[in-house]
Amino acid sequence: PYNIEQESKIIARMALDFLEGKRPNSIAAASILLLVKHKHTQQDLAGVAGISTNTLRNVYQELLEHQNELPKHLFKTKVE
């Protein structure tokens, strides 16, 4: 079964290599957003993580730039 919490932890750990200086809660929220890919969840995720939606989008964009460095099996949709 697909476990967002477990999968996002894997992404967040790997992302530490290329998201130096980013706060852990920002990396965690962006990792979850990368997995669920629902725009309407940005505000909810940012609120839970205690960050702004702008911070979430910025870290998410950086994570997307390195998406090919992450295990492809973690994504429901194909990583291009």
Side-chain angles (χ1 to χ4, degrees), residues 10-46:
I10 293 169
I11 291 172
R13 271 188 243 115
M14 295 182 75
L16 290 174
D17 292 338
F18 49 82
L19 292 178
E20 292 182 37
K22 302 297 181 194
R23 293 176 32 205
N25 55 339
S26 298
I27 295 172
S31 297
I32 292 168
L33 184 60
L34 186 64
L35 290 170
V36 298
K37 294 183 169 90
H38 296 299
K39 292 226 181 244
H40 67 276
T41 63
Q42 287 183 10
Q43 189 171 0
D44 294 334
L45 283 171

Side-chain angles (χ1 to χ4, degrees), residues 20-72:
E20 292 182 37
K22 302 297 181 194
R23 293 176 32 205
N25 55 339
S26 298
I27 295 172
S31 297
I32 292 168
L33 184 60
L34 186 64
L35 290 170
V36 298
K37 294 183 169 90
H38 296 299
K39 292 226 181 244
H40 67 276
T41 63
Q42 287 183 10
Q43 189 171 0
D44 294 334
L45 283 171
V48 170
I51 60 175
S52 70
T53 53
N54 191 47
T55 297
L56 175 57
R57 280 191 293 272
N58 289 339
V59 176
Y60 175 73
Q61 288 301 318
E62 287 188 57
L63 199 52
L64 280 179
E65 291 173 16
H66 296 274
Q67 189 174 7
N68 288 330
E69 298 172 42
L70 302 171
K72 291 169 182 43

